PDB file of all heavy atoms in Angstrom:
ATOM      1  N   LEU A 201       4.442  17.989 -27.277  1.00  0.00           N
ATOM      2  CA  LEU A 201       5.517  19.079 -27.510  1.00  0.00           C
ATOM      3  C   LEU A 201       6.845  18.383 -27.495  1.00  0.00           C
ATOM      4  O   LEU A 201       7.120  17.462 -26.649  1.00  0.00           O
ATOM      5  CB  LEU A 201       5.455  20.144 -26.373  1.00  0.00           C
ATOM      6  CG  LEU A 201       4.307  21.073 -26.432  1.00  0.00           C
ATOM      7  CD1 LEU A 201       4.191  21.871 -25.154  1.00  0.00           C
ATOM      8  CD2 LEU A 201       4.490  22.146 -27.675  1.00  0.00           C
ATOM      9  N   GLU A 202       7.716  18.732 -28.433  1.00  0.00           N
ATOM     10  CA  GLU A 202       8.964  18.087 -28.536  1.00  0.00           C
ATOM     11  C   GLU A 202      10.090  19.210 -28.408  1.00  0.00           C
ATOM     12  O   GLU A 202       9.862  20.296 -28.621  1.00  0.00           O
ATOM     13  CB  GLU A 202       9.062  17.401 -29.898  1.00  0.00           C
ATOM     14  CG  GLU A 202       8.067  16.236 -30.087  1.00  0.00           C
ATOM     15  CD  GLU A 202       8.281  15.497 -31.445  1.00  0.00           C
ATOM     16  OE1 GLU A 202       9.233  15.878 -32.139  1.00  0.00           O
ATOM     17  OE2 GLU A 202       7.581  14.498 -31.709  1.00  0.00           O
ATOM     18  N   PRO A 203      11.330  18.679 -28.104  1.00  0.00           N
ATOM     19  CA  PRO A 203      12.503  19.597 -28.087  1.00  0.00           C
ATOM     20  C   PRO A 203      12.511  20.393 -29.414  1.00  0.00           C
ATOM     21  O   PRO A 203      12.393  19.825 -30.509  1.00  0.00           O
ATOM     22  CB  PRO A 203      13.606  18.671 -27.941  1.00  0.00           C
ATOM     23  CG  PRO A 203      13.070  17.493 -27.205  1.00  0.00           C
ATOM     24  CD  PRO A 203      11.742  17.317 -27.741  1.00  0.00           C
ATOM     25  N   GLY A 204      12.799  21.615 -29.296  1.00  0.00           N
ATOM     26  CA  GLY A 204      12.852  22.552 -30.461  1.00  0.00           C
ATOM     27  C   GLY A 204      11.569  23.284 -30.646  1.00  0.00           C
ATOM     28  O   GLY A 204      11.647  24.399 -31.429  1.00  0.00           O
ATOM     29  N   ALA A 205      10.476  22.932 -30.111  1.00  0.00           N
ATOM     30  CA  ALA A 205       9.237  23.703 -30.220  1.00  0.00           C
ATOM     31  C   ALA A 205       9.380  24.991 -29.485  1.00  0.00           C
ATOM     32  O   ALA A 205      10.162  25.209 -28.616  1.00  0.00           O
ATOM     33  CB  ALA A 205       8.038  22.834 -29.637  1.00  0.00           C
ATOM     34  N   SER A 206       8.461  25.957 -29.812  1.00  0.00           N
ATOM     35  CA  SER A 206       8.459  27.219 -29.167  1.00  0.00           C
ATOM     36  C   SER A 206       7.039  27.748 -29.234  1.00  0.00           C
ATOM     37  O   SER A 206       6.168  27.198 -29.787  1.00  0.00           O
ATOM     38  CB  SER A 206       9.428  28.228 -29.877  1.00  0.00           C
ATOM     39  OG  SER A 206       8.973  28.430 -31.248  1.00  0.00           O
ATOM     40  N   GLY A 207       6.781  28.868 -28.469  1.00  0.00           N
ATOM     41  CA  GLY A 207       5.574  29.526 -28.488  1.00  0.00           C
ATOM     42  C   GLY A 207       4.826  29.423 -27.092  1.00  0.00           C
ATOM     43  O   GLY A 207       5.450  29.050 -26.034  1.00  0.00           O
ATOM     44  N   GLU A 208       3.584  29.881 -27.158  1.00  0.00           N
ATOM     45  CA  GLU A 208       2.805  30.034 -25.924  1.00  0.00           C
ATOM     46  C   GLU A 208       2.676  28.740 -25.112  1.00  0.00           C
ATOM     47  O   GLU A 208       2.750  28.634 -23.845  1.00  0.00           O
ATOM     48  CB  GLU A 208       1.429  30.568 -26.189  1.00  0.00           C
ATOM     49  CG  GLU A 208       0.585  30.850 -24.911  1.00  0.00           C
ATOM     50  CD  GLU A 208      -0.786  31.342 -25.276  1.00  0.00           C
ATOM     51  OE1 GLU A 208      -1.088  31.534 -26.508  1.00  0.00           O
ATOM     52  OE2 GLU A 208      -1.557  31.554 -24.326  1.00  0.00           O
ATOM     53  N   ARG A 209       2.457  27.600 -25.794  1.00  0.00           N
ATOM     54  CA  ARG A 209       2.252  26.361 -25.070  1.00  0.00           C
ATOM     55  C   ARG A 209       3.559  25.897 -24.400  1.00  0.00           C
ATOM     56  O   ARG A 209       3.514  25.323 -23.322  1.00  0.00           O
ATOM     57  CB  ARG A 209       1.866  25.227 -26.135  1.00  0.00           C
ATOM     58  CG  ARG A 209       0.355  25.441 -26.610  1.00  0.00           C
ATOM     59  CD  ARG A 209      -0.033  24.394 -27.600  1.00  0.00           C
ATOM     60  NE  ARG A 209      -0.007  23.044 -27.050  1.00  0.00           N
ATOM     61  CZ  ARG A 209       0.662  21.991 -27.600  1.00  0.00           C
ATOM     62  NH1 ARG A 209       1.360  22.161 -28.673  1.00  0.00           N
ATOM     63  NH2 ARG A 209       0.571  20.823 -26.954  1.00  0.00           N
ATOM     64  N   VAL A 210       4.651  26.199 -25.047  1.00  0.00           N
ATOM     65  CA  VAL A 210       5.958  25.869 -24.360  1.00  0.00           C
ATOM     66  C   VAL A 210       6.127  26.723 -23.116  1.00  0.00           C
ATOM     67  O   VAL A 210       6.616  26.231 -22.067  1.00  0.00           O
ATOM     68  CB  VAL A 210       7.161  26.088 -25.340  1.00  0.00           C
ATOM     69  CG1 VAL A 210       8.478  25.901 -24.612  1.00  0.00           C
ATOM     70  CG2 VAL A 210       7.084  25.067 -26.502  1.00  0.00           C
ATOM     71  N   VAL A 211       5.626  27.977 -23.151  1.00  0.00           N
ATOM     72  CA  VAL A 211       5.787  28.840 -22.043  1.00  0.00           C
ATOM     73  C   VAL A 211       4.886  28.334 -20.848  1.00  0.00           C
ATOM     74  O   VAL A 211       5.357  28.311 -19.729  1.00  0.00           O
ATOM     75  CB  VAL A 211       5.364  30.275 -22.410  1.00  0.00           C
ATOM     76  CG1 VAL A 211       5.216  31.214 -21.129  1.00  0.00           C
ATOM     77  CG2 VAL A 211       6.388  30.898 -23.374  1.00  0.00           C
ATOM     78  N   ILE A 212       3.677  27.821 -21.216  1.00  0.00           N
ATOM     79  CA  ILE A 212       2.858  27.256 -20.210  1.00  0.00           C
ATOM     80  C   ILE A 212       3.466  25.988 -19.582  1.00  0.00           C
ATOM     81  O   ILE A 212       3.480  25.853 -18.342  1.00  0.00           O
ATOM     82  CB  ILE A 212       1.455  26.953 -20.748  1.00  0.00           C
ATOM     83  CG1 ILE A 212       0.831  28.283 -21.215  1.00  0.00           C
ATOM     84  CG2 ILE A 212       0.610  26.174 -19.781  1.00  0.00           C
ATOM     85  CD1 ILE A 212      -0.517  28.054 -21.998  1.00  0.00           C
ATOM     86  N   LEU A 213       4.020  25.136 -20.421  1.00  0.00           N
ATOM     87  CA  LEU A 213       4.743  23.935 -19.995  1.00  0.00           C
ATOM     88  C   LEU A 213       5.927  24.342 -19.048  1.00  0.00           C
ATOM     89  O   LEU A 213       6.048  23.808 -17.967  1.00  0.00           O
ATOM     90  CB  LEU A 213       5.213  23.147 -21.183  1.00  0.00           C
ATOM     91  CG  LEU A 213       6.207  21.981 -20.837  1.00  0.00           C
ATOM     92  CD1 LEU A 213       5.480  20.894 -19.920  1.00  0.00           C
ATOM     93  CD2 LEU A 213       6.782  21.351 -22.167  1.00  0.00           C
ATOM     94  N   ARG A 214       6.709  25.322 -19.482  1.00  0.00           N
ATOM     95  CA  ARG A 214       7.834  25.816 -18.730  1.00  0.00           C
ATOM     96  C   ARG A 214       7.433  26.338 -17.397  1.00  0.00           C
ATOM     97  O   ARG A 214       7.961  25.856 -16.352  1.00  0.00           O
ATOM     98  CB  ARG A 214       8.498  26.895 -19.507  1.00  0.00           C
ATOM     99  CG  ARG A 214       9.676  27.690 -18.767  1.00  0.00           C
ATOM    100  CD  ARG A 214       9.890  29.054 -19.269  1.00  0.00           C
ATOM    101  NE  ARG A 214       8.745  29.967 -18.921  1.00  0.00           N
ATOM    102  CZ  ARG A 214       8.569  31.100 -19.384  1.00  0.00           C
ATOM    103  NH1 ARG A 214       9.434  31.633 -20.362  1.00  0.00           N
ATOM    104  NH2 ARG A 214       7.483  31.890 -19.009  1.00  0.00           N
ATOM    105  N   ASP A 215       6.300  27.133 -17.319  1.00  0.00           N
ATOM    106  CA  ASP A 215       5.919  27.691 -16.077  1.00  0.00           C
ATOM    107  C   ASP A 215       5.380  26.640 -15.137  1.00  0.00           C
ATOM    108  O   ASP A 215       5.625  26.694 -13.948  1.00  0.00           O
ATOM    109  CB  ASP A 215       4.827  28.773 -16.308  1.00  0.00           C
ATOM    110  CG  ASP A 215       5.366  30.004 -16.967  1.00  0.00           C
ATOM    111  OD1 ASP A 215       6.662  30.123 -17.018  1.00  0.00           O
ATOM    112  OD2 ASP A 215       4.553  30.827 -17.516  1.00  0.00           O
ATOM    113  N   ARG A 216       4.682  25.608 -15.660  1.00  0.00           N
ATOM    114  CA  ARG A 216       4.149  24.602 -14.839  1.00  0.00           C
ATOM    115  C   ARG A 216       5.321  23.719 -14.293  1.00  0.00           C
ATOM    116  O   ARG A 216       5.295  23.318 -13.091  1.00  0.00           O
ATOM    117  CB  ARG A 216       3.158  23.725 -15.630  1.00  0.00           C
ATOM    118  CG  ARG A 216       2.228  22.884 -14.775  1.00  0.00           C
ATOM    119  CD  ARG A 216       1.051  22.401 -15.446  1.00  0.00           C
ATOM    120  NE  ARG A 216       0.225  21.482 -14.669  1.00  0.00           N
ATOM    121  CZ  ARG A 216      -0.690  21.838 -13.851  1.00  0.00           C
ATOM    122  NH1 ARG A 216      -1.128  23.112 -13.761  1.00  0.00           N
ATOM    123  NH2 ARG A 216      -1.382  20.937 -13.180  1.00  0.00           N
ATOM    124  N   LEU A 217       6.294  23.417 -15.043  1.00  0.00           N
ATOM    125  CA  LEU A 217       7.461  22.674 -14.585  1.00  0.00           C
ATOM    126  C   LEU A 217       8.213  23.418 -13.484  1.00  0.00           C
ATOM    127  O   LEU A 217       8.669  22.888 -12.493  1.00  0.00           O
ATOM    128  CB  LEU A 217       8.396  22.275 -15.788  1.00  0.00           C
ATOM    129  CG  LEU A 217       7.844  21.295 -16.742  1.00  0.00           C
ATOM    130  CD1 LEU A 217       8.787  21.251 -17.993  1.00  0.00           C
ATOM    131  CD2 LEU A 217       7.736  19.908 -16.131  1.00  0.00           C
ATOM    132  N   ILE A 218       8.300  24.726 -13.659  1.00  0.00           N
ATOM    133  CA  ILE A 218       8.948  25.617 -12.648  1.00  0.00           C
ATOM    134  C   ILE A 218       8.175  25.539 -11.334  1.00  0.00           C
ATOM    135  O   ILE A 218       8.701  25.331 -10.314  1.00  0.00           O
ATOM    136  CB  ILE A 218       9.079  27.040 -13.132  1.00  0.00           C
ATOM    137  CG1 ILE A 218      10.127  27.076 -14.280  1.00  0.00           C
ATOM    138  CG2 ILE A 218       9.526  27.976 -11.968  1.00  0.00           C
ATOM    139  CD1 ILE A 218      10.191  28.479 -14.904  1.00  0.00           C
ATOM    140  N   ALA A 219       6.879  25.672 -11.477  1.00  0.00           N
ATOM    141  CA  ALA A 219       5.996  25.740 -10.293  1.00  0.00           C
ATOM    142  C   ALA A 219       5.999  24.435  -9.545  1.00  0.00           C
ATOM    143  O   ALA A 219       5.967  24.340  -8.298  1.00  0.00           O
ATOM    144  CB  ALA A 219       4.482  26.052 -10.671  1.00  0.00           C
ATOM    145  N   MET A 220       6.216  23.268 -10.266  1.00  0.00           N
ATOM    146  CA  MET A 220       6.266  21.996  -9.637  1.00  0.00           C
ATOM    147  C   MET A 220       7.607  21.640  -9.149  1.00  0.00           C
ATOM    148  O   MET A 220       7.840  20.593  -8.482  1.00  0.00           O
ATOM    149  CB  MET A 220       5.803  20.872 -10.621  1.00  0.00           C
ATOM    150  CG  MET A 220       4.264  20.912 -10.863  1.00  0.00           C
ATOM    151  SD  MET A 220       3.766  19.495 -11.905  1.00  0.00           S
ATOM    152  CE  MET A 220       4.427  19.826 -13.431  1.00  0.00           C
ATOM    153  N   GLY A 221       8.646  22.529  -9.427  1.00  0.00           N
ATOM    154  CA  GLY A 221       9.911  22.281  -8.854  1.00  0.00           C
ATOM    155  C   GLY A 221      10.844  21.400  -9.788  1.00  0.00           C
ATOM    156  O   GLY A 221      11.987  21.073  -9.374  1.00  0.00           O
ATOM    157  N   TRP A 222      10.474  21.178 -10.982  1.00  0.00           N
ATOM    158  CA  TRP A 222      11.271  20.419 -11.925  1.00  0.00           C
ATOM    159  C   TRP A 222      12.197  21.240 -12.758  1.00  0.00           C
ATOM    160  O   TRP A 222      13.134  20.643 -13.402  1.00  0.00           O
ATOM    161  CB  TRP A 222      10.349  19.548 -12.848  1.00  0.00           C
ATOM    162  CG  TRP A 222       9.630  18.526 -12.088  1.00  0.00           C
ATOM    163  CD1 TRP A 222       8.242  18.586 -11.741  1.00  0.00           C
ATOM    164  CD2 TRP A 222      10.108  17.264 -11.536  1.00  0.00           C
ATOM    165  NE1 TRP A 222       7.934  17.486 -11.031  1.00  0.00           N
ATOM    166  CE2 TRP A 222       8.962  16.684 -10.852  1.00  0.00           C
ATOM    167  CE3 TRP A 222      11.337  16.673 -11.446  1.00  0.00           C
ATOM    168  CZ2 TRP A 222       9.123  15.470 -10.219  1.00  0.00           C
ATOM    169  CZ3 TRP A 222      11.419  15.503 -10.868  1.00  0.00           C
ATOM    170  CH2 TRP A 222      10.390  14.865 -10.221  1.00  0.00           C
ATOM    171  N   LEU A 223      12.040  22.488 -12.813  1.00  0.00           N
ATOM    172  CA  LEU A 223      12.853  23.348 -13.607  1.00  0.00           C
ATOM    173  C   LEU A 223      13.151  24.659 -12.897  1.00  0.00           C
ATOM    174  O   LEU A 223      12.334  25.185 -12.279  1.00  0.00           O
ATOM    175  CB  LEU A 223      12.027  23.690 -14.941  1.00  0.00           C
ATOM    176  CG  LEU A 223      12.698  24.632 -15.964  1.00  0.00           C
ATOM    177  CD1 LEU A 223      13.957  23.931 -16.538  1.00  0.00           C
ATOM    178  CD2 LEU A 223      11.738  24.913 -17.084  1.00  0.00           C
ATOM    179  N   SER A 224      14.404  25.061 -12.959  1.00  0.00           N
ATOM    180  CA  SER A 224      14.834  26.328 -12.349  1.00  0.00           C
ATOM    181  C   SER A 224      14.151  27.439 -13.179  1.00  0.00           C
ATOM    182  O   SER A 224      13.977  27.377 -14.382  1.00  0.00           O
ATOM    183  CB  SER A 224      16.307  26.547 -12.324  1.00  0.00           C
ATOM    184  OG  SER A 224      16.935  25.471 -11.497  1.00  0.00           O
ATOM    185  N   PRO A 225      13.900  28.625 -12.562  1.00  0.00           N
ATOM    186  CA  PRO A 225      13.311  29.731 -13.289  1.00  0.00           C
ATOM    187  C   PRO A 225      14.152  30.125 -14.433  1.00  0.00           C
ATOM    188  O   PRO A 225      15.308  30.231 -14.413  1.00  0.00           O
ATOM    189  CB  PRO A 225      13.316  30.925 -12.123  1.00  0.00           C
ATOM    190  CG  PRO A 225      13.181  30.146 -10.840  1.00  0.00           C
ATOM    191  CD  PRO A 225      14.022  28.915 -11.076  1.00  0.00           C
ATOM    192  N   THR A 226      13.504  30.285 -15.557  1.00  0.00           N
ATOM    193  CA  THR A 226      14.149  30.647 -16.868  1.00  0.00           C
ATOM    194  C   THR A 226      13.110  31.416 -17.763  1.00  0.00           C
ATOM    195  O   THR A 226      11.972  31.122 -17.697  1.00  0.00           O
ATOM    196  CB  THR A 226      14.691  29.385 -17.594  1.00  0.00           C
ATOM    197  OG1 THR A 226      15.081  29.718 -18.937  1.00  0.00           O
ATOM    198  CG2 THR A 226      13.525  28.348 -17.762  1.00  0.00           C
TER     199      THR A 226
END
Side-chain angles (χ1 to χ4, degrees):
L201 287 168
E202 298 186 358
S206 61
E208 182 181 357
R209 292 176 61 233
V210 173
V211 171
I212 295 173
L213 171 65
R214 175 204 69 191
D215 290 347
R216 198 162 174 92
L217 289 170
I218 292 171
M220 289 190 289
W222 294 103
L223 180 65
S224 298
T226 173

